[in-house]
Amino acid sequence: GVVVISDGLKQDLQTESPFYKKPILVAHDGATIPVKKPTKIPQRLWKGRKTALQIGYTGSLHKGKGMELIYDIAHLVPEMDFHVLGGSKKDVQAWVKKGLPANLFMHGSKPHSEISSYLAKFDIVLAPYQAKIHIGSGADISRWISPMKLFEYMAAEKPIICSDIPVLHEIIQHGRNGLMASPHDPTIWVDALCDLSKSASHRDALAREGLKDIQDKFSWNIRADHVKDFIEHNKEKKT
């Protein structure tokens, strides 16, 4: 059998490769539910304003991951602070050289062990994937991704706004465990941010549903159980 991380990848394997003859299990990526509160970032090291809503993104700055969209959104919502964790020094310097608005902070790459501390500071988190997501080889992986970023956002119990692209519908249901917005139109993201900024209860409801999904479906332990059951089931069929 074959284990894949998204239904989009399963469909392509079934139609474009010899694996279509074998059993295929879709086991999305996941996250670990935190067992303790993250370490607090000292206020003297935090760049955000105390009175502004804090909007966060964690991940690379590769083409298609959405940094361009965040840049545009930050210009349109000066009353909110935007934080970007990730990217090489060269990538970060390129954006700084381009000229950042005063409400956009580039934190650079951080050890994974520190990410939860930053997530705890955010009121809303973004996953602004573009319709095409390119890796180093130039290949477009937008049909196949199962981004750990989303699951880590959910495990941190944060309200999510993500791009409305087909593969992310496997994880996010608009209005229940997150909001979806066009990857092409920053004004739709601004509308979503403004709607969430007006209602802490709406933010909390989305965040709770996301955490519940991690607990019920997307923890690493549950994923491991699904893969184990799949292996055992297909061993029995073979015998």
Side-chain angles (χ1 to χ4, degrees):
V2 182
V3 179
V4 298
I5 60 170
S6 65
D7 192 60
L9 184 52
K10 176 182 177 179
Q11 291 175 20
D12 284 357
L13 284 176
Q14 287 175 322
T15 57
E16 297 181 16
S17 85
F19 285 122
Y20 76 93
K21 295 179 181 178
K22 298 184 181 292
I24 299 177
L25 171 70
V26 176
H28 296 92
D29 281 329
T32 300
I33 300 168
V35 295
K36 60 181 180 180
K37 290 186 177 180
T39 304
K40 288 187 177 181
I41 298 172
Q43 191 60 44
R44 60 186 174 81
L45 299 179
W46 184 247
K47 301 177 182 180
R49 296 167 289 181
K50 290 183 178 180
T51 57
L53 211 64
Q54 304 298 300
I55 316 301
Y57 166 86
T58 67
S60 77
L61 303 184
H62 295 156
K63 186 176 180 181
K65 293 297 183 72
M67 181 58 204
E68 297 83 359
L69 191 56
I70 295 171
Y71 182 82
D72 290 340
I73 296 167
H75 278 92
L76 295 172
V77 198
E79 67 271 24
M80 300 180 189
D81 288 339
F82 292 79
H83 301 266
V84 174
L85 273 72
S88 66
K89 288 184 179 180
K90 183 178 179 181
D91 291 335
V92 172
Q93 288 171 356
W95 282 101
V96 171
K97 187 175 181 180
K98 184 174 181 178
L100 300 177
N103 62 329
L104 176 55
F105 305 102
M106 306 287 290
H107 296 268
S109 181
K110 299 292 180 183
H112 190 265
S113 59
E114 295 181 13
I115 297 299
S116 60
S117 298
Y118 284 89
L119 287 175
K121 297 286 289 185
F122 301 149
D123 298 298
I124 300 169
V125 289
L126 307 179
Y129 294 97
Q130 297 301 283
K132 291 187 177 182
I133 303 167
H134 295 281
I135 57 175
S137 67
D140 174 20
I141 61 171
S142 59
R143 275 182 51 80
W144 309 322
I145 60 170
S146 182
M148 282 195 288
K149 177 199 336 288
L150 276 184
F151 302 107
E152 291 181 348
Y153 287 170
M154 294 158 78
E157 201 170 355
K158 295 296 173 178
I160 298 166
I161 306 175
C162 76
S163 290
D164 188 357
I165 60 176
V167 72
L168 297 187
H169 283 268
E170 298 179 30
I171 306 162
I172 300 297
Q173 291 80 49
H174 178 73
R176 184 186 69 81
N177 61 353
L179 299 182
M180 305 192 89
S182 167
H184 310 296
D185 189 347
T187 63
I188 296 177
W189 291 75
V190 170
D191 290 342
L193 283 168
C194 290
D195 286 345
L196 289 181
S197 73
K198 298 171 186 175
S199 176
S201 62
H202 190 190
R203 298 197 299 271
D204 290 344
L206 295 174
R208 283 195 303 271
E209 287 297 310
L211 177 61
K212 187 173 185 298
D213 281 347
I214 293 293
Q215 294 168 333
D216 294 345
K217 297 187 291 184
F218 297 127
S219 74
W220 287 122
N221 285 342
I222 290 174
R223 185 184 194 272
D225 287 340
H226 287 163
V227 174
K228 179 183 175 183
D229 291 345
F230 174 73
I231 293 170
E232 292 178 347
H233 175 72
N234 285 292
K235 282 174 65 178
E236 291 171 2
K237 285 175 63 177
K238 189 174 181 179
T239 58

